[in-house]
Amino acid sequence: MVRKLLEVLLVNLGMKLADPKIDALIDKKMVNMNFYPTCPNPDLTVGVGRHSDMGTITVLLQDGIGGLYVKIEEDMRFGKKGEWVEIPPTPGALVINVGDMLQVLSNKRYKSAEHRVRTTNTTSRVSIPIFTIPKLTEKIAPLPHLVEKDGIAHYREFMFADYMKNFFGNAHEGKKSLDFAKNVDSS
Ligand SMILES: O=C(O)CCC(=O)C(=O)O
Ligand SMILES: [Fe+2]
């Protein structure tokens, strides 16, 4: 399923289905195991602080408890003010997150999803997101034909292992993780 989704997203960016890069982008799976105990005062606790996932795509099986919020980025062209929206808890549904690598490859056409998790005072919760990540030695950069079209590369080239090291070496603060790859010329 992850391969199908990525193929659609990457072919939509002009990549060829036979491109070996697609295999390199879905090289590995990683999982987190999160346990959110019941908290008497959820407003005073952080479940998972705001962050975006570092890989290409994340799959997260939903339960009926809820607590996952996604940030709608401000975009005044479409009258959208930045706000946090709770993903409605639908048991058995899959939430798919776009990760930082898709934002880089697409030269900002796809936006990685900033999200956070709050606890509840009624039920504890376990979540096990599955992250798909590129090969550690894979060189990641905006796709060259998109850079040509846009006249700017919003991100520099880096090795995925270095991105990952930086991601886990720093406290998460929203989408700051992408600063590691930001091109100095990009706004
Ligand atoms: O618990 C959740 O719903 C999401 C957890 C998460 O965002 C993560 O582990 O990266
Ligand atoms: Fe996450």
Side-chain angles (χ1 to χ4, degrees):
M1 182 190 78
V2 167
R3 172 177 286 274
K4 279 262 152 58
L5 282 170
L6 263 173
E7 281 176 357
V8 169
L9 291 168
L10 294 170
V11 167
N12 189 42
L13 293 176
M15 227 160 140
K16 296 270 177 301
L17 259 188
D19 194 327
K21 184 134 188 109
I22 296 187
D23 289 332
L25 291 172
I26 51 178
D27 189 58
K28 286 195 172 47
K29 299 278 184 292
M30 266 177 52
V31 294
N32 266 2
M33 295 188 186
N34 304 305
F35 174 59
Y36 307 99
T38 313
C39 284
N41 196 341
D43 290 342
L44 297 180
T45 59
V46 178
V48 172
R50 55 195 195 94
H51 68 283
S52 49
D53 298 337
M54 58 152 187
T56 43
I57 269 188
T58 307
V59 179
L60 182 62
L61 179 63
Q62 291 297 284
D63 49 39
I65 301 165
L68 175 63
Y69 285 69
V70 69
K71 175 97 178 276
I72 308 290
E73 282 189 24
E74 180 184 295
D75 192 337
M76 281 315 173
R77 289 173 307 165
F78 305 109
K80 282 196 300 190
K81 50 179 181 9
E83 59 182 336
W84 287 98
V85 175
E86 182 166 16
I87 304 295
T90 309
L94 296 174
V95 168
I96 312 289
N97 283 345
V98 167
D100 289 349
M101 290 311 104
L102 282 182
Q103 179 158 336
V104 172
L105 287 161
S106 69
N107 209 27
K108 278 192 178 168
R109 284 167 176 72
Y110 298 141
K111 301 283 165 58
S112 60
E114 184 175 347
H115 53 288
R116 62 178 167 86
V117 186
R118 65 156 175 76
T119 58
T120 77
N121 56 14
T122 49
T123 330
S124 62
R125 175 173 172 255
V126 169
S127 79
I128 308 181
I130 301 173
F131 307 96
T132 297
I133 61 170
K135 212 162 116 186
L136 290 176
T137 52
E138 187 66 11
K139 295 264 175 53
I140 307 283
L143 298 175
H145 66 276
L146 298 181
V147 173
E148 201 173 312
K149 205 174 194 172
D150 299 344
I152 183 167
H154 292 297
Y155 303 99
R156 65 181 173 84
E157 188 182 80
F158 54 87
M159 195 168 80
F160 180 67
D162 293 331
Y163 192 89
M164 194 163 151
K165 212 192 270 166
N166 182 70
F167 187 89
F168 288 115
N170 290 291
H172 294 156
E173 198 189 331
K175 292 182 64 170
K176 277 253 165 67
S177 47
L178 276 159
D179 287 354
F180 174 78
K182 213 170 182 174
N183 220 338
V184 277
D185 301 332
S186 170
S187 56

